[in-house]
Amino acid sequence: MNGLTHFDASGQAHMVDVGDKAATRRLAVATGRIDMQPSTLTLIESGNAKKGDVLGVARIAGIMAAKKTSELIPLCHPLALTRVAVEFELAPGSPLSSVRCTVSAETLGPTGVEMEALTATQIALLTIYDMCKAVDRGMQIHDVRLLEKHGGKSGSYVAA
């Protein structure tokens, strides 16, 4: 890397010009988890949470967040997403249980979808918190990160 791309020569923030970049298939995968009391996970699994289907609502929230990323992150380009998939893995445990969220985002365009995948992951996890906070205010969100990205001039990245 030879510098931060969101600053011009005089140090002012700007949106990167992607007009001359080739449109290629871009894919990004992000993940994160929310830790909770085992009883909270049991409530999520049963589908009997007071606010409804926690994971169903969180999935829709994640998809919506991916579509609105450029409205939330000031210098992100609006993208025509071709696919967003939000998956959950439940991990019962003691003293804490968790829900892992993994998001895949894709587009065909001149810039990547890392921010869309990361935003969707975070918002899906925050939605789980919102829907379950009445029974577990101690939930904690951890390890939101990019797992991989493919496409574009910089090529592929796969986290170690």
Side-chain angles (χ1 to χ4, degrees):
M1 283 196 158
N2 47 345
L4 301 174
T5 57
H6 286 91
F7 295 97
D8 64 17
S10 61
Q12 301 297 310
H14 74 106
M15 185 180 243
V16 175
D17 182 358
V18 297
D20 291 333
K21 292 174 74 177
T24 62
R25 182 177 175 268
R26 314 287 183 124
L27 164 70
V29 180
T31 192
R33 78 173 199 277
I34 184 167
D35 293 340
M36 62 194 63
Q37 296 298 318
S39 59
T40 307
L41 183 64
T42 299
L43 190 63
I44 290 170
E45 286 179 300
S46 73
N48 292 328
K50 187 175 183 180
K51 292 184 179 182
D53 176 8
V54 173
L55 298 181
V57 173
R59 180 175 287 107
I60 297 300
I63 292 167
M64 289 175 63
K67 292 167 39 175
K68 294 195 169 280
T69 299
S70 67
E71 295 175 34
L72 300 168
I73 309 294
L75 300 177
C76 278
H77 292 84
L79 300 181
L81 295 168
T82 57
R83 185 177 82 87
V84 177
V86 180
E87 302 297 330
F88 298 104
E89 179 184 338
L90 307 180
S94 179
L96 292 176
S97 294
S98 65
V99 176
R100 175 161 299 283
C101 176
T102 302
V103 174
S104 299
E106 294 184 53
T107 191
L108 180 62
T111 190
V113 290
E114 297 97 311
M115 295 308 299
E116 287 71 15
L118 287 162
T119 300
T121 301
Q122 188 69 58
I123 295 300
L125 294 170
L126 284 168
T127 300
I128 292 170
Y129 184 95
D130 179 54
M131 293 190 71
C132 297
K133 68 184 180 222
V135 297
D136 188 355
R137 293 203 186 268
M139 291 177 285
Q140 293 183 11
I141 295 171
H142 296 279
D143 303 327
V144 175
R145 66 188 186 112
L146 183 68
L147 289 178
E148 60 184 278
K149 70 88 103 188
H150 303 281
K153 187 171 79 171
S154 64
S156 292
Y157 165 82
V158 177

